[in-house]
Amino acid sequence: MEQLVELDHELFLFLNNLGDPAWDNFWNFITNKWASIPFYALLVFFLYKALGWKKTLLSLVLVALVITCTDQLANLFKHYFERPRPCRQEGIMEYSRFVAVRCGRFGYFSAHAASSAALVVYLGMILKRYWKHIFPVLIFWGLLVSYSRIYLGVHYPGDVLTGWFFGIVIGYVFYRLFLFLGRRFFTSGDFRAEF
């Protein structure tokens, strides 16, 4: 386990120190939750065009639950493991670039990465039959958001990878829940034929 932690620290320092002050504002923008609003609006439009308003409403209610679930699970892990973020850990913070707006106390695991991964899977599974290139676009967006956490100095790569693991699982579970609720509350011609 100590070797994994050491590898995580080394990989963090390597990736974090690739940063350049010219890019700091860009990565601070990418990590900001409000920066993705235009992208989210576009996804809502895609959902509406593909599913109609009733199924879009169902999918958005579940999106809110996906984000709540990933966020709360990440908080539970952070307070249980109490792993300091790199921007607070002695022996790491002196050698890293901290450019985030703030540095929370604990970092295991990344809620940003978990929420991004969950949305990639959940929305990708819903929209893939309508837009075959939606997964690469969503994955690119999710990786950008996730890497921003390392670049800014607030998460180790292990935090991000763990976030992706839980996000993928949660996203898939909620996709299955979307199918279950859709089949239960929509007529067969309205829902089953599409999924």
Side-chain angles (χ1 to χ4, degrees):
M1 184 58 112
E2 286 181 21
Q3 288 179 325
L4 277 177
V5 170
E6 188 175 329
L7 178 62
D8 202 20
H9 290 177
E10 290 173 8
L11 185 57
F12 165 77
L13 288 171
F14 172 74
L15 293 172
N16 174 261
N17 281 294
L18 290 175
D20 185 291
W23 287 92
D24 291 354
N25 288 334
F26 170 78
W27 289 106
N28 264 311
F29 175 77
I30 291 295
T31 208
N32 187 315
K33 63 184 174 184
W34 305 112
S36 293
I37 286 180
F39 184 62
Y40 295 150
L42 184 62
L43 290 172
V44 170
F45 174 74
F46 285 164
L47 285 168
Y48 173 74
K49 291 295 281 182
L51 306 175
W53 73 270
K54 290 179 183 177
K55 288 176 266 185
T56 297
L57 185 60
L58 171 62
S59 68
L60 293 178
V61 167
L62 291 177
V63 161
L65 292 174
V66 163
I67 292 171
T68 301
C69 186
T70 54
D71 190 55
Q72 293 307 308
L73 185 61
N75 284 335
L76 184 69
F77 268 64
K78 285 174 186 172
H79 291 353
Y80 179 79
F81 289 102
E82 295 187 345
R83 180 184 187 190
R85 292 177 184 259
C87 48
R88 288 190 181 266
Q89 187 162 358
E90 290 184 25
I92 299 293
M93 62 184 182
E94 299 88 353
Y95 304 103
S96 65
R97 300 178 72 252
F98 173 66
V99 292
V101 175
R102 65 180 194 84
C103 179
R105 289 178 61 201
F106 307 122
Y108 186 77
F109 56 88
S110 169
H112 276 76
S115 295
S116 299
L119 290 176
V120 166
V121 172
Y122 175 72
L123 294 174
M125 295 293 288
I126 291 172
L127 292 171
K128 70 179 179 177
R129 72 185 312 255
Y130 303 100
W131 289 282
K132 64 180 180 178
H133 300 297
I134 195 70
F135 261 122
V137 171
L138 287 170
I139 290 169
F140 177 74
W141 165 78
L143 290 175
L144 271 181
V145 171
S146 298
Y147 177 71
S148 73
R149 310 306 290 162
I150 298 168
Y151 182 98
L152 297 173
V154 294
H155 279 294
Y156 291 105
D159 302 339
V160 170
L161 290 174
T162 304
W164 268 80
F165 171 78
F166 282 108
I168 288 168
V169 171
I170 290 167
Y172 184 75
V173 167
F174 273 87
Y175 168 69
R176 300 301 302 178
L177 181 60
F178 171 76
L179 294 181
F180 172 78
L181 293 174
R183 289 178 179 136
R184 183 174 175 108
F185 295 110
F186 293 94
T187 63
S188 59
D190 189 33
F191 197 87
R192 289 177 197 223
E194 296 183 29
F195 293 91

